[in-house]
Amino acid sequence: LILKQEDDKWKRLTINSNHEFYGFCGFGPDEMYICGSDGIIYKFNGNVVTEMPTRTQDFFLDVWGPSKEMVFAVGDLGMVMFNDGEQWTRIESGTEEYLLSIWGSSANNIFAVGDNATILHYDGKSWRAMDTETDKYLTKVRGLRSDCIYAVGDDGLVIRFDGEKWNDMSLGEGA
């Protein structure tokens, strides 16, 4: 179910699809992306939802970008796709772990997290793995700025990136 607010009412967006949707990001009411199963990515321009060709059947689990000219989608088996505003292109991530979430503070400071404590960092040129002191699955990454980024995962795991390293912020068992 996808809703759009128009004036003071909510309007249901109709997408003729049997796909499951997992991720969403937007740059305003006329530029939104929705990703999901079977390599599906839709773009909403404020009026119409259109399918974007991705040339993959892998699942996309999240989508995010610092601008509408620079959007990333992540998913199955380390898949990272990049959209320059026109087309989707697969880029090498260096992992085969499932990537579940992506977020960044700028075009050259982007993080993706996923299975088996995977954290990847994109510096504007390439992705590289980051060390963590955990082996738990990471399910979501979000932040406030480049030195205040949080990733959460299994068993109440919360880790925070301070601009230099990831620190465990979990409350522990029984908290």
Side-chain angles (χ1 to χ4, degrees):
L1 175 64
I2 300 173
L3 301 173
K4 175 188 176 194
Q5 188 174 13
E6 288 185 0
D7 300 318
D8 61 344
K9 296 181 182 175
W10 288 97
K11 176 184 173 187
R12 183 179 185 148
L13 293 179
T14 302
I15 299 175
N16 294 323
S17 172
N18 291 326
H19 295 94
E20 296 174 2
F21 301 126
Y22 299 114
F24 166 85
C25 81
F27 303 99
D30 60 349
E31 188 84 20
M32 296 178 207
Y33 294 86
I34 305 157
C35 70
S37 61
D38 301 319
I40 199 75
I41 296 181
Y42 289 103
K43 183 176 181 179
F44 178 65
N45 68 5
N47 295 309
V48 179
V49 178
T50 55
E51 184 176 340
M52 300 182 78
T54 62
R55 298 178 305 280
T56 184
Q57 290 298 305
D58 294 332
F59 280 37
F60 290 108
L61 301 172
D62 201 13
V63 60
W64 178 88
S67 71
K68 55 187 172 184
E69 293 83 23
M70 186 179 196
V71 180
F72 293 87
V74 296
D76 288 358
L77 301 171
M79 179 178 56
V80 176
M81 299 279 280
F82 170 76
N83 183 278
D84 60 5
E86 299 293 322
Q87 66 181 358
W88 289 97
T89 306
R90 186 178 286 239
I91 58 178
E92 182 59 43
S93 71
T95 187
E96 290 188 4
E97 298 291 347
Y98 282 55
L99 299 173
L100 304 176
S101 182
I102 185 166
W103 181 86
S105 63
S106 68
N108 60 359
N109 194 44
I110 301 172
F111 297 83
V113 302
D115 290 357
N116 295 314
T118 300
I119 299 181
L120 302 179
H121 178 257
Y122 183 74
D123 63 6
K125 297 178 184 162
S126 63
W127 292 93
R128 71 171 177 82
M130 298 184 79
D131 291 328
T132 62
E133 306 257 334
T134 184
D135 59 357
K136 297 185 187 298
Y137 283 39
L138 298 167
T139 57
K140 191 62 74 177
V141 62
R142 292 292 183 266
L144 301 172
R145 55 186 184 273
S146 63
D147 63 350
C148 188
I149 300 166
Y150 293 89
V152 298
D154 286 356
D155 301 322
L157 177 69
V158 179
I159 56 177
R160 179 180 180 264
F161 186 68
D162 62 12
E164 294 182 25
K165 65 178 183 156
W166 290 94
N167 302 289
D168 192 337
M169 306 286 292
S170 303
L171 295 175
E173 289 186 39

